[in-house]
Coordinates of all heavy atoms in Angstrom, one line a residue:
A32 N 6.3 28.1 -22.9 CA 5.5 29.0 -23.6 C 5.8 30.4 -23.4 O 5.9 31.2 -24.3 CB 4.0 28.8 -23.3
A33 N 6.1 30.8 -22.1 CA 6.4 32.1 -21.8 C 7.8 32.5 -22.3 O 8.0 33.7 -22.6 CB 6.3 32.4 -20.3
A34 N 8.7 31.6 -22.4 CA 10.0 31.9 -22.8 C 10.2 31.9 -24.3 O 11.2 32.1 -24.8 CB 11.0 30.9 -22.2
A35 N 9.2 31.5 -25.0 CA 9.2 31.3 -26.5 C 9.3 32.7 -27.2 O 9.5 32.6 -28.4 CB 8.1 30.5 -26.9
Y36 N 9.1 33.7 -26.5 CA 9.2 35.0 -27.1 C 9.9 36.0 -26.2 O 10.1 35.8 -25.0 CB 7.8 35.6 -27.4 CG 6.8 35.7 -26.3 CD1 6.8 36.8 -25.5 CD2 6.0 34.6 -25.9 CE1 6.0 36.9 -24.4 CE2 5.2 34.7 -24.8 CZ 5.2 35.9 -24.0 OH 4.4 36.0 -22.9
P37 N 10.5 37.0 -26.8 CA 11.3 38.0 -26.0 C 10.4 38.7 -25.0 O 9.2 38.9 -25.1 CB 11.9 38.9 -27.0 CG 11.6 38.4 -28.3 CD 10.5 37.4 -28.2
R38 N 11.1 39.2 -24.0 CA 10.4 40.1 -23.0 C 10.4 41.6 -23.6 O 11.3 42.1 -24.1 CB 11.2 40.2 -21.7 CG 11.0 39.0 -20.9 CD 11.7 39.2 -19.5 NE 11.3 38.1 -18.6 CZ 10.5 38.2 -17.7 NH1 9.9 39.3 -17.4 NH2 10.2 37.2 -16.9
Y39 N 9.2 42.1 -23.6 CA 9.0 43.5 -24.1 C 8.7 44.4 -23.0 O 8.1 44.0 -22.0 CB 7.8 43.5 -25.2 CG 8.1 42.7 -26.3 CD1 7.3 41.5 -26.6 CD2 9.0 43.0 -27.3 CE1 7.5 40.7 -27.7 CE2 9.2 42.2 -28.4 CZ 8.5 41.1 -28.6 OH 8.7 40.2 -29.7
K40 N 9.0 45.6 -23.1 CA 8.7 46.7 -22.1 C 7.1 46.9 -22.1 O 6.6 47.2 -23.1 CB 9.4 48.0 -22.4 CG 9.2 49.0 -21.3 CD 10.1 50.2 -21.6 CE 10.0 51.3 -20.5 NZ 9.0 51.5 -19.7
A41 N 6.5 46.7 -21.0 CA 5.1 46.9 -20.9 C 4.7 48.3 -20.8 O 5.4 49.1 -20.1 CB 4.5 46.1 -19.8
P42 N 3.6 48.8 -21.5 CA 3.1 50.2 -21.2 C 2.5 50.2 -19.9 O 2.2 49.2 -19.2 CB 2.2 50.3 -22.3 CG 1.6 48.9 -22.6 CD 2.8 48.0 -22.4
K43 N 2.3 51.5 -19.4 CA 1.6 51.7 -18.2 C 0.1 51.2 -18.4 O -0.5 51.6 -19.3 CB 1.5 53.2 -17.8 CG 2.9 53.7 -17.4 CD 2.7 55.2 -17.1 CE 4.1 55.8 -16.8 NZ 4.0 57.2 -16.5
P44 N -0.3 50.3 -17.5 CA -1.7 49.8 -17.6 C -2.8 50.9 -17.7 O -3.8 50.9 -18.4 CB -2.0 49.0 -16.4 CG -0.6 48.6 -15.9 CD 0.3 49.7 -16.3
F45 N -2.5 52.0 -17.0 CA -3.5 53.1 -17.0 C -3.0 54.4 -17.7 O -3.1 55.5 -17.4 CB -4.0 53.4 -15.6 CG -4.7 52.3 -15.0 CD1 -4.1 51.4 -14.2 CD2 -6.1 52.1 -15.2 CE1 -4.8 50.3 -13.6 CE2 -6.8 51.1 -14.7 CZ -6.1 50.1 -13.8
G46 N -2.3 54.1 -18.9 CA -1.7 55.2 -19.6 C -2.8 56.1 -20.2 O -3.9 55.6 -20.6
T47 N -2.5 57.3 -20.4 CA -3.5 58.3 -20.8 C -3.4 58.7 -22.3 O -4.0 59.7 -22.8 CB -3.6 59.6 -19.9 OG1 -2.2 60.1 -19.9 CG2 -4.0 59.2 -18.5
T48 N -2.5 58.0 -23.0 CA -2.4 58.2 -24.5 C -2.5 56.9 -25.2 O -2.2 55.9 -24.6 CB -1.0 58.9 -24.8 OG1 0.0 58.0 -24.4 CG2 -0.9 60.2 -24.2
F49 N -2.9 57.0 -26.5 CA -3.0 55.8 -27.3 C -1.6 55.4 -27.7 O -0.8 56.3 -28.1 CB -3.8 56.1 -28.6 CG -5.3 56.2 -28.3 CD1 -5.9 57.4 -28.5 CD2 -6.0 55.2 -27.8 CE1 -7.3 57.5 -28.2 CE2 -7.4 55.3 -27.5 CZ -8.0 56.5 -27.8
Q50 N -1.2 54.2 -27.7 CA 0.1 53.7 -28.2 C 0.0 53.7 -29.7 O -1.0 53.2 -30.3 CB 0.3 52.3 -27.7 CG 0.6 52.2 -26.2 CD 0.7 50.8 -25.7 OE1 -0.3 50.3 -25.3 NE2 1.8 50.2 -26.0
T51 N 1.1 54.1 -30.3 CA 1.2 54.0 -31.7 C 2.1 52.9 -32.2 O 2.9 52.3 -31.5 CB 1.8 55.3 -32.3 OG1 3.1 55.5 -31.8 CG2 0.9 56.5 -31.9
D52 N 1.9 52.6 -33.5 CA 2.8 51.5 -34.1 C 3.2 52.3 -35.4 O 2.6 52.1 -36.5 CB 2.0 50.3 -34.4 CG 2.9 49.1 -35.0 OD1 4.0 49.4 -35.1 OD2 2.3 48.0 -35.2
P53 N 4.4 53.0 -35.4 CA 4.8 53.8 -36.5 C 5.0 53.1 -37.8 O 4.9 53.6 -38.9 CB 6.1 54.5 -36.0 CG 6.2 54.2 -34.6 CD 5.2 53.1 -34.2
K54 N 5.4 51.8 -37.6 CA 5.6 51.0 -38.8 C 4.4 50.4 -39.5 O 4.5 49.9 -40.5 CB 6.7 49.9 -38.5 CG 8.0 50.4 -37.9 CD 8.8 49.1 -37.5 CE 10.1 49.7 -36.8 NZ 10.7 48.5 -36.1
H55 N 3.3 50.5 -38.9 CA 2.1 49.9 -39.4 C 1.4 50.7 -40.4 O 1.2 51.9 -40.2 CB 1.1 49.7 -38.1 CG 0.0 48.7 -38.5 ND1 0.1 47.3 -38.4 CD2 -1.2 49.0 -38.9 CE1 -1.1 46.8 -38.7 NE2 -1.9 47.7 -39.0

Side-chain angles (χ1 to χ4, degrees):
Y36 57 89
R38 287 185 168 255
Y39 299 109
K40 184 177 182 336
K43 292 180 182 178
F45 295 94
T47 56
T48 59
F49 291 113
Q50 291 172 261
T51 60
D52 186 356
K54 300 175 189 171
H55 194 85

